[in-house]
Amino acid sequence: AQIPSPLSQTKMAPDPVQMAQAQEEIPAWLGSDRRATVALKGCDYLIECWKLEMAKIASDALGPQDAEEQKACVDGWIYLGKALHVYSQSVGFLEDSQANLKACIKDMEGEMKSQPDEERERLTACIRQLKDFKKHQVEKLTGVQEQIERIQSEFARVITMLTQVAQDQGKTCEELVTEALKDSGEEAPSTEAMAQALSALSSNSIPEADEEAEEEAASSKDGYPAAEASSEKKKKKKGKKN
């Protein structure tokens, strides 16, 4: 399949911030989740482009040999650098959404205490939906983490090939990439910067499932969350500290 050169397009996907601004006013947690969705689609595209470029190199053992393979190696590196940058953005968007969801759920639970039974039933349903959404986001973050780990397993091989191309041409890796990007006006990512970005992403902790939410759902009666579950959880935590 034909893919555009990474030098001909500085943006591989619609800018998630501009896209969100074009939307009607929406909750902060939903806006962040939409930005993450757009960013992750861009990541999928960039990773596919990277793989296609690397597939042009006939032998992993010999590395890039002719001019076409050397160009594929450099272009692949550029795609990978962009993918890591967008992955970092998507993780940030999802973490923002998680934090905003937690605050929103807390506010709704506080509001529910002063509401009549009819309104409490409606709020309870909303809270459960938000908690389900929050749990789904954790699964999405786990998927991002798995993709980053796959990239990490290939990273050393890519650097080895890029270094080989740089040596063959009597240049540094940064000089190679800077030269390839000179017409686009983009800044070339260094091997050190990309290694650090990958390390930071791979060590990013994935939020655990909301155990308290699960307890409340399991022990709720008449459609209302059980306050007892929360208090029991706190007692158990206190007991562990002692």
Side-chain angles (χ1 to χ4, degrees), residues 105-136:
I105 290 169
K106 185 177 180 180
D107 288 344
M108 290 178 73
E109 287 175 336
E111 181 185 347
M112 187 169 63
K113 295 175 183 178
S114 60
Q115 298 298 318
D117 287 350
E118 232 177 76
E119 188 65 15
R120 286 183 65 192
E121 188 173 345
R122 184 187 68 80
L123 285 171
T124 297
C126 289
I127 289 169
R128 283 179 176 165
Q129 286 181 342
L130 289 179
K131 287 181 177 179
D132 285 343
F133 189 88
K134 190 170 183 288
K135 185 178 179 181
H136 175 70

Side-chain angles (χ1 to χ4, degrees), residues 15-17 32 35-36 39 43 82-96 201:
D15 182 86
V17 176
S32 294
R35 293 184 184 96
C43 288
K82 289 182 178 182
L84 288 175
H85 175 68
V86 183
Y87 269 128
S88 179
Q89 287 182 323
S90 66
V91 169
F93 290 144
L94 288 172
E95 288 176 343
D96 284 346
L201 285 169

Side-chain angles (χ1 to χ4, degrees), residues 148-187:
I148 290 167
E149 286 172 2
R150 283 192 287 271
I151 295 173
Q152 193 171 33
S153 67
E154 296 283 334
F155 197 67
R157 179 174 70 94
V158 178
I159 287 184
T160 298
M161 288 188 178
L162 189 70
T163 303
Q164 178 185 328
V165 174
Q167 289 173 348
D168 289 346
Q169 297 187 17
K171 301 172 183 176
T172 65
C173 294
E174 285 69 31
E175 286 171 343
L176 264 183
V177 181
T178 299
E179 186 176 305
L181 287 170
K182 64 182 179 182
D183 294 330
S184 69
E186 294 182 71
E187 186 177 345

Side-chain angles (χ1 to χ4, degrees), residues 50-89:
W50 166 54
K51 289 178 179 178
L52 288 171
E53 290 297 335
M54 297 306 289
K56 295 176 184 177
I57 301 171
S59 170
D60 285 351
L62 295 175
Q65 296 297 298
D66 57 25
E68 184 180 349
E69 288 188 350
Q70 290 184 347
K71 182 180 183 302
C73 179
V74 176
D75 287 354
W77 177 262
I78 294 170
Y79 278 125
L80 182 60
K82 289 182 178 182
L84 288 175
H85 175 68
V86 183
Y87 269 128
S88 179
Q89 287 182 323

Side-chain angles (χ1 to χ4, degrees), residues 3-21:
I3 60 172
S5 164
L7 313 181
S8 65
Q9 291 186 328
T10 56
K11 291 183 181 178
M12 296 296 131
D15 182 86
V17 176
Q18 291 180 358
M19 181 179 178
Q21 288 173 345

